[in-house]
Amino acid sequence: MPTKANFDRVAVVGRIRHIISTLNMSQAAFARRLGVNPANLSKLLGGSLSLSEGFINRLVVELGVSKQWLVDGEGVPYPKPVHAATVTDNGETMVEDIVDQGLPVYDVDVTAGARELSLLLTDDKIVGRVKLPNLPADCILVRVSGDSMKPVISNGGFVAIRPVSSPKTIFWGQIYVIVLDDYRMIKYVRRHPDDEKLVRLRSANPDYDDIDVERSEIRRMFIVEAILNYDLRC
């Protein structure tokens, strides 16, 4: 791995800007995610503050970004295994696409905490895989806590979600995971009278009031493709 002296600062800064764009975050929000001063991040990206290996390591640890990609531009930003090897009865090694094993189930509560959801979806959080018919291959399963979406989604149930490329594209009346700077929610997304600027978030539980949110505040959206509720009987 190159040392600090070998960093191509312009290239690395370009990749950092790519990460910020991919996460659909402002520079200030990105700085808060990393726990750094927004003014210092602005200076770093602008070139008036030196780029240190400590800062690069912080990106790697906090965001799960590949250090090799960040420094050298090699590989992919978020590496993940694409194959799983198993040994057959006759001792031969068989390699198969991990996608064929089913959708990953993450030990992640989609509504708990304020951290960007995509940063929590690391391989060590995968607790199993489930094959569900007729769902897109890029879906994942995550847990839901709370009663705001009861009886549609039970407390402790799971939802199959997939990322939406742009928060501007909304299927009104569908259930989404909404990621804001300070928290995450799972709600029906309804059309607001001023739908150019606002969306209306509605709970299934009538005890909860509607919430109006500015479109510009939405950082990421995941559409809910399926709901898996279950009751423990023992």
Side-chain angles (χ1 to χ4, degrees), residues 28-216:
F30 185 74
R32 290 195 294 270
R33 293 290 188 213
L34 292 177
V36 300
N37 187 303
N40 287 342
L41 176 65
S42 180
K43 292 177 182 178
L44 186 149
L45 297 178
S48 60
L49 190 65
S50 62
L51 179 65
S52 68
E53 185 162 6
F55 180 78
I56 287 179
N57 288 337
R58 189 171 197 142
L59 283 169
V60 172
V61 172
E62 293 293 329
L63 304 183
V65 179
S66 163
K67 187 171 184 179
Q68 185 173 16
W69 173 84
L70 192 60
V71 175
D72 293 335
E74 297 179 4
V76 294
Y78 299 99
K80 59 182 180 179
V82 294
H83 294 92
T86 57
V87 180
T88 60
D89 292 338
N90 58 10
E92 295 180 355
T93 300
M94 178 178 64
V95 179
E96 59 181 335
D97 272 330
I98 205 164
V99 173
D100 293 336
Q101 300 177 14
L103 303 178
V105 181
Y106 286 86
D107 184 20
V108 171
D109 188 336
V110 74
T111 57
R115 197 176 183 193
E116 161 61 42
L117 180 60
S118 60
L119 304 182
L120 301 176
L121 303 177
T122 54
D123 292 335
D124 62 306
K125 293 290 187 180
I126 297 177
V127 294
R129 290 182 175 269
V130 175
K131 288 188 176 182
L132 296 174
N134 305 320
L135 287 181
D138 58 346
C139 279
I140 62 169
L141 275 80
V142 289
R143 191 173 63 256
V144 178
S145 64
D147 64 353
S148 70
M149 291 301 291
K150 291 182 67 175
V152 179
I153 305 175
S154 299
N155 180 23
F158 283 80
V159 290
I161 63 174
R162 64 177 176 85
V164 175
S165 58
S166 172
K168 295 180 180 180
T169 303
I170 297 175
F171 297 99
W172 302 113
Q174 295 296 314
I175 301 176
Y176 287 85
V177 174
I178 308 295
V179 181
L180 306 177
D181 277 344
D182 298 323
Y183 51 93
R184 304 187 300 265
M185 298 179 290
I186 183 166
K187 302 289 182 185
Y188 286 108
V189 179
R190 310 290 297 184
R191 188 187 295 273
H192 190 277
D194 186 7
D195 61 2
E196 290 295 321
K197 296 181 179 180
L198 299 166
V199 297
R200 180 156 291 166
L201 307 183
R202 181 164 296 169
S203 301
N205 188 335
D207 291 338
Y208 287 78
D209 294 333
D210 291 347
I211 303 172
D212 293 340
V213 173
E214 292 189 17
R215 283 177 175 261
S216 61

Side-chain angles (χ1 to χ4, degrees), residues 12-46:
V12 173
V13 167
R15 293 181 195 114
I16 294 174
R17 291 187 184 277
H18 172 76
I19 294 171
I20 297 172
S21 175
T22 300
L23 294 176
N24 196 27
M25 300 176 73
S26 65
Q27 278 188 201
F30 185 74
R32 290 195 294 270
R33 293 290 188 213
L34 292 177
V36 300
N37 187 303
N40 287 342
L41 176 65
S42 180
K43 292 177 182 178
L44 186 149
L45 297 178

